Amino acid sequence: MKKILSILCLMLLLIPYTAATAEQKYYTIGQLHDLIEEEYPNGWQESIKTKWRTVEINAPILVPDADKMPILFLRLEENNEIDVSSLPGDSWESDCGKRIFVSRASDPSKPNFDKMKLESNHYYVPVDMEMRLADFDGKTLRELAQEVWDVLECVNQGTAGFDMDHPFDIMVNIAIDPKTGKSQECWVNYLAYQTVSGIPLFRHIGYYLPYDLPVWKDRIPWINLNMGMSPYNGMRFGYYPTQTKTVEEDVPLASFSKVQKTLRKEIEAGYIRKILEMRLGYTVVDVKDDPEGYTGATRPIWHVEVWWCKNGKAEIKGEDLDYPTNDHGKLECARLAIDAQTGKIIGIAGTYAPKENILHGIEDFQGYVSWEDTQGT
């Protein structure tokens, strides 16, 4: 009996150790993707009690379906040229430099939307791509996107990658005739992140900081895909052809639970009131004096959009009926960059974001955590 009790006591002592070591400290991006697909099929859903209120978390989590997350140097191609005669139809024009931009005007015999009052409806993650637009012959957002994509690929031919499965903003513009008051869907516009190695490339790190960085002319700008069309044959698309150089084939990523712990801390402190979305991908930092002319580098981050208040007692402001908005357009909306290798917040930007000390050099490439660095941890 004493022997059995001793064994039971030993097992009880081992439970905390087992629980603490059951989860890995570092993951590949493929492991994170599979884990989140399995454990969070409907996103992160949790009720978190604070001193002032209960915060309901219901956040989409997007992790690229990739095997590796390399560290890459980036540079933009110069002097791109497009032969618009290769595109289907006529009346195409191009305006290219570092950015490829191709457009075709709407049929001039149709209503001129430029002379009408315009309103915009924005759709964010998760977007219902099967939503139909009546004034586009009842076609779905997916079908319309495919029409532009087919033309874009005549130019791109698979060279640049885009995360078209998860556009971060679809804008449907509504034109209102000032004489008749009649409204009509006049333009649908898709914004999606460009990808490198199958991983979305978010904005430069400066986008996540509450202060302006020193100007640098070779900084890689926001290079998302912008494409759209009108119901009357108008179409346009723009993107940046990007060249890459691999610095490290793959890097380790912090566990998702570590990222959650970071966010829970801010929720419990009363700052975060809602999480709108979470995406794993890259921000861009500066590379200077590279002999091959690369001017940017990838840094793995979690891009997190939230509602942020400066103190726990404050309440979210009610809807302004004169200026209606959406979840992403509220003054409290803030964007966070969480280092995907450490799980720590490295930047918060937004109208009500906290003031932060200027972190000199945060915009510069400062290396990364390698798999060798994690040995023994």
Side-chain angles (χ1 to χ4, degrees):
M1 186 65 177
K2 288 182 178 180
K3 186 176 182 180
I4 293 174
L5 288 173
S6 298
I7 293 172
L8 287 173
C9 290
L10 179 60
M11 290 176 65
L12 288 171
L13 288 171
L14 286 174
I15 287 175
Y17 175 80
T18 304
T21 58
E23 182 182 281
Q24 298 169 230
K25 290 185 177 181
Y26 296 98
Y27 290 75
T28 65
I29 189 172
Q31 289 172 328
L32 273 183
H33 173 272
D34 294 347
L35 181 149
I36 288 172
E37 285 252 311
E38 180 180 351
E39 296 191 10
Y40 302 94
N42 300 311
W44 177 12
Q45 298 181 347
E46 183 178 350
S47 295
I48 301 177
K49 289 187 177 181
T50 73
K51 291 187 291 185
W52 306 276
R53 64 191 61 83
T54 297
V55 176
E56 299 293 340
I57 303 300
N58 184 14
I61 309 168
L62 301 178
V63 178
D65 188 4
D67 295 325
K68 295 181 179 181
M69 193 161 200
I71 300 297
L72 305 167
F73 276 10
L74 312 169
R75 68 184 178 197
L76 302 183
E77 294 184 14
E78 301 279 353
N79 303 318
N80 294 287
E81 295 183 2
I82 297 300
D83 179 10
V84 295
S85 65
S86 65
L87 300 178
D90 52 18
S91 302
W92 289 102
E93 297 180 355
S94 66
D95 181 11
C96 302
K98 289 184 177 180
R99 182 184 187 224
I100 287 177
F101 183 77
V102 178
S103 64
R104 180 177 63 191
S106 296
D107 185 338
S109 68
K110 299 298 182 180
N112 185 353
F113 297 129
D114 292 338
K115 295 183 178 181
M116 300 184 188
K117 178 183 177 182
L118 296 181
E119 295 181 354
S120 299
N121 294 322
H122 292 264
Y123 301 92
Y124 302 97
V125 173
V127 179
D128 179 10
M129 295 297 287
E130 304 311 315
M131 185 177 77
R132 297 185 180 276
L133 300 186
D135 295 313
F136 285 79
D137 297 325
K139 294 179 181 178
T140 66
L141 290 176
R142 189 183 308 280
E143 290 169 335
L144 294 170
Q146 189 63 51
E147 288 186 26
V148 189
W149 179 260
D150 289 342
V151 178
L152 185 156
E153 274 301 290
C154 292
V155 175
N156 180 52
Q157 297 184 352
T159 303
F162 310 100
D163 188 6
M164 279 306 301
D165 289 335
H166 309 103
F168 61 86
D169 185 2
I170 296 180
M171 180 173 62
V172 179
N173 285 331
I174 309 295
I176 303 172
D177 190 314
K179 296 180 179 179
T180 65
K182 182 181 178 181
S183 63
Q184 179 182 356
E185 295 157 346
C186 64
W187 193 272
V188 56
N189 203 58
Y190 299 81
L191 293 175
Y193 294 114
Q194 288 190 219
T195 61
V196 287
S197 296
I199 297 168
L201 195 63
F202 308 136
R203 297 194 190 192
H204 188 272
I205 188 64
Y207 178 66
Y208 301 95
L209 303 175
Y211 52 83
D212 294 330
L213 293 171
V215 175
W216 184 51
K217 67 179 182 64
D218 292 321
R219 181 166 291 142
I220 292 182
W222 187 23
I223 59 173
N224 64 288
L225 168 68
N226 186 330
M227 70 181 202
M229 65 185 299
S230 79
Y232 302 130
N233 213 37
M235 191 175 290
R236 66 188 177 210
F237 57 86
Y239 65 95
Y240 287 83
T242 306
Q243 297 175 338
T244 65
K245 175 175 70 174
T246 302
V247 177
E248 182 73 30
E249 291 286 346
D250 186 36
V251 293
L253 304 173
S255 68
F256 183 63
S257 64
K258 192 165 187 177
V259 176
Q260 287 177 304
K261 183 178 179 181
T262 294
L263 291 169
R264 282 196 191 97
K265 180 180 177 182
E266 304 301 336
I267 294 169
E268 291 165 357
Y271 301 130
I272 293 178
R273 306 298 175 80
K274 187 173 185 176
I275 299 178
L276 302 175
E277 67 172 68
M278 301 179 66
R279 295 179 186 251
L280 178 62
Y282 291 125
T283 187
V284 181
V285 292
D286 299 335
V287 173
K288 298 174 181 176
D289 302 320
D290 180 77
E292 297 178 66
Y294 289 90
T295 62
T298 59
R299 180 173 180 176
I301 66 164
W302 282 93
H303 166 94
V304 185
E305 294 193 29
V306 304
W307 287 354
W308 184 282
C309 288
K310 288 188 175 180
N311 65 74
K313 294 180 181 180
E315 295 298 333
I316 293 287
K317 294 181 179 179
E319 187 70 39
D320 187 334
L321 298 180
D322 293 329
Y323 300 96
T325 184
N326 52 58
D327 282 0
H328 291 253
K330 293 179 74 70
L331 288 176
E332 291 85 358
C333 192
R335 51 195 177 271
L336 279 64
I338 298 180
D339 190 312
Q341 294 200 277
T342 66
K344 296 180 179 180
I345 295 175
I346 55 177
I348 307 174
T351 302
Y352 294 155
K355 292 183 179 179
E356 297 180 53
N357 294 327
I358 295 178
L359 302 175
H360 296 286
I362 190 174
E363 72 273 23
D364 296 325
F365 177 63
Q366 299 177 4
Y368 50 88
V369 178
S370 70
W371 281 106
E372 288 183 2
D373 296 330
T374 68
Q375 299 301 315
T377 61

